[in-house]
Amino acid sequence: MRNCHVVMTRLVGSATRLLAGLILAGALGLSSSTFGQSAGQAQMIHYDAATKVFRLDGADVSYVLGINEQSEVQTLYWGKRLADSDTLPAAISSPAISSFDMALNTTPHEFVGWGGGLYVEPDLKVSFPDGNRDLILKYVSHQIHNDGLAITMKDQLRDVYVTLDYRMDKETGILRRSAVIENRTGDPFTIEQVASGTWNLPRGTDYRLRYLTGRWAGEWNVQEQPVHPGKVVLESRRGTTGAQNNPWFAIDDNRSNDQDQGNVWFGALGWSGSWQISVEQDQVQQVRVTGGPNAFDFAYRLGNGEKLETPAFYGGFSDHGVGDASRLLHRFEVGSILPGHPSPRLRPVLYNSWEATTFDVNEAGQMALAEKAASIGVERFVMDDGWFGGRKNDHAGLGDWYVNPKKFPNGLKPFIDKVHSLGMEFGLWVEPEMVNPDSDLYREHPDWVLNFPGRPRTEARNQLVLNLARPDVRAYVFGFLDKLLTENDIAFLKWDYNRNWSEPGWPAAPNGAQQNVYVDFTRNFYSILAELRQKHPQVEIESCSGGGSRVDLGVMQYTDEVWPSDNTDAFDRILIQNGFTYAYSPAVMMAWVTDSPNWVNQRSASLEYRFLVAMQGSLGIGADLNKWTADDFDKAKQMVAEYKTIRETVQRGQLYRLITPEHDSPYSVTESVSPDGKKAVAFAFLHSSKELYPYPRIQLRGLDRGARYEISAFAGKLAPATPKTASGAFWMQHGIDVLLRGDFQAAAFTLTRVD
Ligand code: DGJ
């Protein structure tokens, strides 16, 4: 996968020369072998010049598209891998079914401009200065390179070029798609809507859509609904990813509830600004999934000679159910997206001070917590909100990123040294894109926030959003973070973002291109992260947005982990984590053990239960350690030590959702199998037992049937008759009985291959 530091970018110069080459190649009708595939290289991309059919293969997936007789780029197949010997016939545009549904609407386009009489979702809509808004894109040329294919299209009359980029991941069969729009018309024009591309599923009517919904403290709910004629739009209009929908979808065609059977087409957008994914079943039962920046209030002014690259839209296929679709995405995220891929660092066990101290941080208090955290095996101590400026509560201080002299009279150094002397790394909370009106920064630069002149500025959590699209704001934000990281030995930033946009005006935008803010803000956000990482390679970053409001494959290119939710109630968290893993890997899923009763529901649960819930992801501790008993410390030490032995399996393994907590199930069981297949760990949770019914038998998955594994419970009890060792077949077919009875009970066990 391309290491894409700036997802949306204006390009000039060399890219133009490349395009010129592509056009020439297309005009000469050259086939793929002409374009630099070295001899002996695995052929993942084939082009048949006679039929004008392109085929991309990766893992167990084939994706086939062709140029039809109208010179449109048309989807031909997306699904389980075809035999190498299979060839598909040339693309032919679909017939009109009546004067009301012309061929333009019945043909499954890869990328279609709004022009002619198009009624389905367009991939590109532009408005020219002369009032013309017609855009008919036709194939011009293509280029095949390593794992990528680039197809260039052009409007039939005007010099608007679109280059479609396809990159197939050979490990997972996940295809990355994006498009570059180039203006060579001589005048600026406005892009009113743009998508990364359209995924066309095989025509059919028996599809089910899964997607994720939520809100603050209630993120990651899995929704399911049949795909009916008409359109469903998953979206954020908030300026950022949002928790209300997450930019992920999965569509299966057998309507079964099974996690591991059936065909599933799935995808995720890599974009942390306003976005949309529309799922449309049209007049001819064609299901189209189109995704990119949200079209609502969108406009991007593209000057002559400029280019705009869309976000990446990733898509994959599995014929082993939505469980396998998730595992493919997890592998792809670790292998191709996260910083340090394909081998990102395992997440250290961290302590975070937020729930213990909220804003009331000071040197002595943090040092005392650090000593206690170190004693249970914590590897990274993170000081949360409250350390800077005039920050006593959420009314003041955001924007003033100097160390508060009353709280840390000697600066951060003595405290950081203390953390290091205890054998831990030091991490710090920041919320760089925000400002409190009660701050020196806002008093000095009231024009730096998103605003419409003369209109009230809506505050949320007493803060406003800095307009990161502005070059001076970008420079300020990068500057203070760079200084902080240069002057202090900081291994980790928890990057927070605690509200969504309002009044998204940019009065000082160059050339009056105010609405470019939707692209330029996110582009600058990414470029700051990229530049900081380049300059301070030791620093890791967490994407936090009041919980899980900024989790997507765009931000995950620059951040090592994410905070799924502010809801740390262990029972609620089971459902939250379950939904999260449909799209995202446990490798990035931070999960804290916090106090009981928990602040969210006033629910009490044992420390062991709380640990076991958090140990399914990247373990953190966020409790007030000053309140812990000696027994709590002993239990925590034991669980942290246990976690370190299973961490690699949890964070890198194949995750099986054996029993999901969805639909109010009182049970939840997950299993992770290590990448080498030699270890597995399973966690079982019970909400409350009823009428003496035993816990459901747990049938594991993903083991080697013929190999022998030894079982060992590290929490809860196995049924006394459970053999100590048995074959993979036994553990998967006969299964395991755990003894769980009561309320909020949990068990966990490992299997280790012994032959
Ligand atoms: C929201 C985060 O999600 C919390 O963990 C904490 O960092 C607070 N912000 C601090 O203001």
Side-chain angles (χ1 to χ4, degrees):
M1 281 295 136
R2 171 163 58 173
N3 187 9
C4 179
H5 288 302
V6 179
V7 171
M8 282 203 162
T9 184
R10 289 179 182 147
L11 307 168
V12 281
S14 60
T16 309
R17 286 192 294 280
L18 173 67
L19 270 179
L22 297 184
I23 291 159
L24 177 65
L28 296 175
L30 299 177
S31 70
S32 65
S33 54
T34 318
F35 292 99
Q37 289 234 346
S38 58
Q41 183 179 353
Q43 282 279 325
M44 290 184 24
I45 303 175
H46 298 261
Y47 176 59
D48 182 340
T51 54
K52 298 189 185 162
V53 168
F54 300 91
R55 172 170 163 180
L56 296 90
D57 294 306
D60 205 21
V61 178
S62 294
Y63 192 89
V64 189
L65 59 149
I67 313 302
N68 67 23
E69 79 291 357
Q70 303 290 332
S71 295
E72 297 158 339
V73 186
Q74 182 175 331
T75 312
L76 291 173
Y77 177 80
W78 181 27
K80 192 169 172 64
R81 190 163 182 155
L82 302 168
D84 287 351
S85 54
D86 290 332
T87 53
L88 272 81
I92 304 173
S93 64
S94 308
I97 51 172
S98 75
S99 56
F100 295 97
D101 289 298
M102 297 164 282
L104 191 60
N105 295 284
T106 55
T107 300
H109 299 272
E110 286 281 296
F111 192 101
V112 65
W114 186 78
L118 186 83
Y119 313 123
V120 294
E121 195 69 24
D123 293 285
L124 181 61
K125 181 174 188 302
V126 300
S127 171
F128 297 98
D130 61 0
N132 171 45
R133 303 186 307 284
D134 190 51
L135 187 76
I136 303 285
L137 296 169
K138 303 277 186 184
Y139 166 85
V140 175
S141 66
H142 70 270
Q143 188 190 42
I144 292 174
H145 50 90
N146 297 327
D147 58 347
L149 164 67
I151 296 179
T152 298
M153 305 168 81
K154 177 189 168 299
D155 176 59
Q156 59 185 358
L157 296 174
R158 299 196 176 197
D159 285 338
V160 178
Y161 288 82
V162 176
T163 298
L164 310 181
D165 188 63
Y166 297 83
R167 284 160 201 259
M168 176 61 92
D169 178 41
K170 59 179 185 299
E171 302 297 327
T172 59
I174 291 178
L175 185 63
R176 177 193 189 279
R177 296 181 57 185
S178 63
V180 177
I181 322 303
E182 185 186 9
N183 178 1
R184 286 200 245 154
T185 62
D187 293 304
F189 62 72
T190 300
I191 297 174
E192 295 183 341
Q193 179 168 351
V194 64
S196 308
T198 295
W199 303 96
N200 290 290
L201 274 64
R203 271 172 47 189
T205 54
D206 196 21
Y207 285 115
R208 171 180 53 180
L209 169 67
R210 275 194 177 89
Y211 60 104
L212 293 161
T213 62
R215 61 181 163 78
W216 179 75
E219 299 86 349
W220 309 105
N221 293 296
V222 182
Q223 308 293 342
E224 299 174 3
Q225 65 187 54
V227 176
H228 286 309
K231 185 160 45 180
V232 170
V233 180
L234 313 177
E235 66 169 355
S236 162
R237 297 180 175 198
R238 297 164 178 265
T240 187
T241 321
Q244 289 63 25
N245 286 167
N246 184 269
W248 168 88
F249 73 90
I251 299 176
D252 63 79
D253 71 351
N254 67 358
R255 312 279 296 273
S256 100
N257 265 323
D258 194 279
Q259 288 277 323
D260 291 296
Q261 281 173 27
N263 293 328
V264 182
W265 293 260
F266 58 94
L269 258 181
W271 185 238
S272 312
S274 293
W275 60 271
Q276 71 178 56
I277 296 176
S278 68
V279 178
E280 187 175 15
Q281 188 194 117
D282 69 13
Q283 303 290 307
V284 290
Q285 300 173 337
Q286 176 66 57
V287 174
R288 308 166 190 250
V289 183
T290 305
N294 200 311
F296 177 78
D297 195 42
F298 184 87
Y300 192 88
R301 185 182 186 278
L302 197 65
N304 181 48
E306 291 180 346
K307 295 184 181 184
L308 178 71
E309 183 177 354
T310 70
F313 198 3
Y314 304 90
F317 170 81
S318 169
D319 63 341
H320 288 98
V322 74
D324 192 51
S326 303
R327 288 187 286 280
L328 288 170
L329 267 173
H330 298 170
R331 271 176 61 198
F332 179 69
E333 286 152 12
V334 169
S336 301
I337 296 283
L338 291 173
H341 68 263
S343 310
R345 189 180 161 208
L346 289 172
R347 299 294 79 225
V349 176
L350 67 71
Y351 178 82
N352 179 290
S353 65
W354 174 245
E355 291 200 18
T357 60
T358 62
F359 301 96
D360 192 13
V361 298
N362 58 54
E363 191 179 281
Q366 293 290 304
M367 281 189 181
L369 283 171
E371 278 171 7
K372 293 181 171 116
S375 78
I376 56 176
V378 164
E379 297 159 316
R380 171 180 284 169
F381 186 94
V382 183
M383 178 161 67
D384 211 280
D385 200 347
W387 58 269
F388 54 92
R391 190 77 165 165
K392 286 196 292 279
N393 50 38
D394 62 17
H395 286 263
L398 280 178
D400 298 340
W401 297 104
Y402 59 86
V403 180
N404 181 300
K406 288 205 185 97
K407 298 181 178 186
F408 294 89
N410 309 305
L412 291 180
K413 190 166 186 321
F415 174 45
I416 296 177
D417 288 347
K418 170 81 177 177
V419 168
H420 290 160
S421 74
L422 291 165
M424 298 184 292
E425 296 176 347
F426 177 74
L428 195 61
W429 179 95
V430 289
E431 191 174 3
E433 299 141 281
M434 299 289 167
V435 66
N436 287 120
D438 186 1
S439 67
D440 296 340
L441 185 72
Y442 188 72
R443 282 182 280 273
E444 206 176 322
H445 297 289
D447 52 331
W448 275 13
V449 298
L450 293 174
N451 74 93
F452 290 124
R455 308 286 304 176
R457 300 174 179 192
T458 306
E459 293 178 23
R461 210 194 190 208
N462 311 301
Q463 61 197 55
L464 296 166
V465 183
L466 288 172
N467 182 357
L468 209 57
R470 288 176 63 117
D472 45 8
V473 174
R474 189 215 178 274
Y476 172 76
V477 169
F478 176 79
F480 88 74
L481 288 166
D482 181 35
K483 185 162 180 282
L484 199 59
L485 296 176
T486 304
E487 292 176 354
N488 300 285
D489 194 350
I490 294 173
F492 173 79
L493 289 178
K494 173 176 170 178
W495 186 302
D496 212 340
Y497 185 88
N498 279 302
R499 60 161 293 179
N500 295 138
W501 290 14
S502 57
E503 299 91 27
W506 178 8
N511 304 316
Q514 286 213 38
Q515 284 154 289
N516 284 25
V517 71
Y518 285 107
V519 170
D520 291 356
F521 186 111
T522 304
R523 181 166 65 183
N524 280 352
F525 168 56
Y526 289 160
S527 79
I528 290 172
L529 290 168
E531 203 178 333
L532 284 174
R533 295 197 76 108
Q534 202 205 359
K535 204 162 167 204
H536 306 278
Q538 84 288 357
V539 171
E540 295 192 339
I541 303 174
E542 174 179 291
S543 175
C544 172
S545 177
S549 279
R550 190 151 64 181
V551 182
D552 59 77
L553 294 188
V555 77
M556 277 168 59
Q557 293 179 108
Y558 311 99
T559 52
D560 307 85
E561 59 188 53
V562 302
W563 179 232
S565 177
D566 271 356
N567 185 339
T568 56
D569 174 283
F571 174 68
D572 280 4
R573 197 76 183 200
I574 290 175
L575 195 64
I576 286 171
Q577 294 181 175
N578 171 76
F580 181 94
T581 65
Y582 274 79
Y584 303 107
S585 167
V588 299
M589 184 177 78
M590 295 312 295
W592 300 349
V593 175
T594 55
D595 289 319
S596 175
N598 183 277
W599 65 272
V600 177
N601 299 309
Q602 292 303 312
R603 181 180 287 119
S604 298
S606 70
L607 187 58
E608 183 170 273
Y609 180 94
R610 285 176 274 147
F611 258 101
L612 294 179
V613 171
M615 286 163 77
Q616 294 172 101
S618 297
L619 178 64
I621 290 137
D624 185 352
L625 301 181
N626 296 320
K627 293 189 191 145
W628 275 17
T629 64
D631 283 353
D632 291 338
F633 279 100
D634 287 348
K635 174 55 78 179
K637 252 182 245 172
Q638 178 211 330
M639 298 307 264
V640 169
E642 190 65 52
Y643 181 73
K644 289 176 182 170
T645 71
I646 61 165
R647 158 164 56 192
E648 188 157 7
T649 302
V650 169
Q651 295 187 18
R652 292 287 174 274
Q654 302 272 309
L655 174 72
Y656 295 84
R657 292 180 289 264
L658 299 183
I659 303 180
T660 77
E662 293 160 40
H663 311 296
D664 287 330
S665 163
Y667 315 116
S668 168
V669 184
T670 64
E671 176 201 2
S672 300
V673 180
S674 64
D676 64 5
K678 292 189 176 156
K679 281 187 181 167
V681 56
F683 298 89
F685 300 92
L686 170 67
H687 176 270
S688 37
S689 48
K690 266 167 75 177
E691 299 170 355
L692 288 176
Y693 283 114
Y695 198 82
R697 183 168 283 177
I698 298 170
Q699 291 170 307
L700 299 181
R701 302 218 180 155
L703 303 180
D704 182 337
R705 289 176 49 75
R708 293 195 71 75
Y709 298 84
E710 183 176 306
I711 194 166
S712 167
F714 62 90
K717 284 199 176 65
L718 304 176
T722 311
K724 188 139 184 65
T725 63
S727 67
F730 179 89
W731 301 124
M732 293 194 290
Q733 289 158 215
H734 174 277
I736 301 154
D737 286 320
V738 292
L739 302 180
L740 286 180
R741 191 152 290 168
D743 296 338
F744 306 113
Q745 299 296 309
F749 52 87
T750 56
L751 283 106
T752 309
R753 193 168 165 159
V754 286
D755 56 6

